[in-house]
Amino acid sequence: MKTLSTIIASLVFFGIAAFAMESETYKIDASASKMKWYGEKVSGEHFGSVSLKEGEIHVSGNKISQGVFTADMTSITVEDIDGEWGTKLLGHLKSDDFFSVAKHKESKFEIISVKDLGDNKAKIAGKLTIKGITKVISFETEYKMEGNKLMANAEVLVDRTKFDIKYRSGNFFEDLGDKMIYDNFRIELKIVAVKA
């Protein structure tokens, strides 16, 4: 039979443990966060940006534990070319050949696991949804917390063909020559989140 002091000690221990593992929520600051995209083809590269709409990151014991954020696909831009050709490329990116923006105005990423790599680095796995199609991807991130802010940076490679974006993919079309577009596109992600 447990003594009263043992019971009290157990309650104190579990209370401290629960407190230590309590999650803190950081809300995404969409205006300060940046998401740049880079797409490569045989003859060169295009790049631009997409705005984050909203999201949050949960932190337990000063380490990222969960999170979700949404991108506003209607905000996609082309930044490497101007004028008529830039407008044409932007329209093409919004079309059904690429992101079908009229039908799918948002993309979403939800963290499902985090592996701590030490030195404020982590390997993130999560569910990425583009054009209503959800696939699991993973990438490494480096983050830090200063005051009431959390800042994270990551470079993410996405195979567009897994999201039914097969336009000029060498894996689906033959004899494309220098018109071929590589399957992977790259996202440079800078997240700024503020403690709720």
Side-chain angles (χ1 to χ4, degrees):
M1 185 172 177
K2 293 183 178 180
T3 64
L4 181 60
S5 60
T6 302
I7 293 171
I8 292 173
S10 297
L11 290 172
V12 170
F13 171 79
F14 286 115
I16 291 173
F19 178 79
M21 294 304 292
E22 185 176 348
S23 174
E24 295 181 319
T25 300
Y26 289 75
K27 295 287 187 182
I28 300 293
D29 182 346
S31 63
S33 300
K34 306 293 180 187
M35 186 164 69
K36 295 198 71 173
W37 63 265
Y38 297 83
E40 293 186 53
K41 55 184 180 179
V42 174
S43 58
E45 177 185 71
H46 293 299
F47 61 87
S49 65
V50 177
S51 297
L52 290 176
K53 184 176 181 180
E54 59 188 3
E56 60 185 36
I57 296 174
H58 298 275
V59 174
S60 298
N62 289 325
K63 299 183 186 301
I64 294 174
S65 58
Q66 298 176 46
V68 61
F69 56 84
T70 302
D72 176 8
M73 297 305 297
T74 68
S75 71
I76 190 168
T77 66
V78 173
E79 297 177 359
D80 63 298
I81 47 177
D82 297 316
E84 180 184 354
W85 290 107
T87 301
K88 284 183 176 180
L89 176 55
L90 180 60
H92 200 188
L93 291 174
K94 290 183 175 183
S95 77
D96 290 342
D97 281 342
F98 285 92
F99 295 106
S100 300
V101 171
K103 301 172 188 173
H104 304 282
K105 292 180 172 59
E106 296 178 350
S107 292
K108 182 179 178 181
F109 181 75
E110 181 180 0
I111 295 174
I112 56 175
S113 70
V114 181
K115 181 180 180 182
D116 181 37
L117 301 177
D119 297 324
N120 288 331
K121 296 179 181 178
K123 185 170 185 178
I124 305 282
K127 296 185 290 186
L128 176 63
T129 301
I130 298 175
K131 292 178 70 173
I133 300 168
T134 301
K135 300 290 181 181
V136 174
I137 66 167
S138 62
F139 56 89
E140 291 187 8
T141 183
E142 186 171 358
Y143 63 95
K144 63 180 179 179
M145 284 170 280
E146 292 182 354
N148 67 337
K149 288 186 177 181
L150 181 151
M151 290 153 284
N153 295 289
E155 185 173 292
V156 185
L157 286 179
V158 179
D159 182 347
R160 63 189 177 92
T161 64
K162 293 183 177 180
F163 301 90
D164 195 31
I165 305 173
K166 300 172 183 176
Y167 182 78
R168 290 188 181 173
S169 166
N171 287 322
F172 294 90
F173 301 95
E174 298 179 354
D175 303 321
L176 291 171
D178 62 3
K179 295 181 184 292
M180 186 183 77
I181 301 172
Y182 295 114
D183 290 345
N184 284 337
F185 68 89
R186 178 166 53 96
I187 297 172
E188 286 185 0
L189 191 59
K190 175 189 173 184
I191 295 288
V192 178
V194 180
K195 189 183 290 187

